[in-house]
Amino acid sequence: NEDLACVCRAYKVNLLGDDDKENESTAGIKVFSYIDFCKRHLRNQIRKEHKDFGFRWINKEQSIELLKQVLRQKSRWERSFKAEDIYGLIYSILKGRFMIGTESLPSTREDYERVFRDYGRTPGDLDQILEIFSQYQGRLERNKMRDEADIIRLSYESLKNKARLNDLDQRLWIVIDEIQDFTELEWKSILLFWENQAGAESARSAQAPVSSGSFATNLTYPFLSGDVNQNISRSGFRWQEPEGYLQSI
């Protein structure tokens, strides 16, 4: 019975002034970021399955610090790369992009090269970037840590066939603003709630068709907005992707 607003991390800070607080309220609306939601979902899933986490979550700042440690291993890396830029590539592309036409993340050099080629320009120093990425991933594994891209991916895999909003007799909207700054994994994770709800509503309508002159009130609608001339993300966002995704559903 609460009004909820799941917002991007930056907007949550604008509303609440503290990115580390979960589920705070403003103007009677409970506000949380999608990362907050993913963390809570995974906690609940692990609790239901009576398992231990087995890993520790780290945030963006901790990931960047880990990358700085990796870059310090080689002087040419320190001279040529910034940890913040490498993190942007990891979050947006290396761990935020599916292989085209699949739900699989890239895993080989050929995969990464294809992803870069399909969504933008392949970096001339790709081999070094992938070596840094491998070192970063190795440190995560050795220290039993997961970064924010992992959190979203794990939630996506967990929610793929069961993410639903509710069965109440009301219309629901899923609104994604500034979608051009979302990674593919982010916006597809959020739209899972619409995709699965749409499937359930179609099945229900087939069993009990709406009579002529009336309309269904328990529909879920996606509303995507953004700037076609702006993209501060390195995700290689293209408007054709969500459009094609929505049409396929």
Side-chain angles (χ1 to χ4, degrees), residues 10 40 43 94 104 123 205 212:
R40 175 160 294 223
R43 287 193 195 106
L94 301 181
S104 301
S205 296
S212 176

Side-chain angles (χ1 to χ4, degrees), residues 44-151:
N44 290 339
Q45 284 298 110
I46 291 172
R47 191 177 296 118
K48 287 178 183 178
E49 296 171 3
H50 305 289
K51 295 180 180 179
D52 294 326
F53 277 106
F55 57 83
R56 178 168 60 91
W57 292 328
I58 62 173
N59 60 26
K60 176 181 178 179
E61 290 71 27
Q62 291 169 313
S63 289
I64 289 174
E65 182 56 40
L66 204 61
L67 282 166
K68 288 179 179 178
Q69 296 173 19
V70 171
L71 294 178
R72 284 195 287 266
Q73 293 181 111
K74 296 185 179 182
S75 58
R76 73 173 186 274
W77 285 354
E78 275 197 292
R79 292 193 305 269
S80 304
F81 300 102
K82 292 183 178 179
E84 293 80 1
D85 292 338
I86 296 294
Y87 178 81
L89 288 174
I90 290 173
Y91 187 85
S92 298
I93 298 179
L94 301 181
K95 296 171 78 169
R97 273 286 184 191
F98 292 115
M99 297 294 293
I100 289 182
T102 76
E103 293 181 359
S104 301
L105 294 173
S107 59
T108 67
R109 188 196 186 284
E110 291 72 23
D111 289 345
Y112 293 118
E113 188 174 18
R114 188 177 302 116
V115 167
F116 275 108
R117 185 174 64 247
D118 290 336
Y119 294 111
R121 180 181 60 84
T122 302
D125 46 12
L126 178 60
D127 287 328
Q128 290 190 73
I129 291 172
L130 293 181
E131 187 177 352
I132 294 168
F133 176 49
S134 177
Q135 293 278 342
Y136 169 75
Q137 285 294 104
R139 289 184 179 234
L140 289 180
E141 292 298 327
R142 287 194 299 275
N143 293 287
K144 296 183 178 180
M145 297 186 295
R146 296 290 184 271
D147 62 15
E148 293 189 346
D150 293 323
I151 292 171

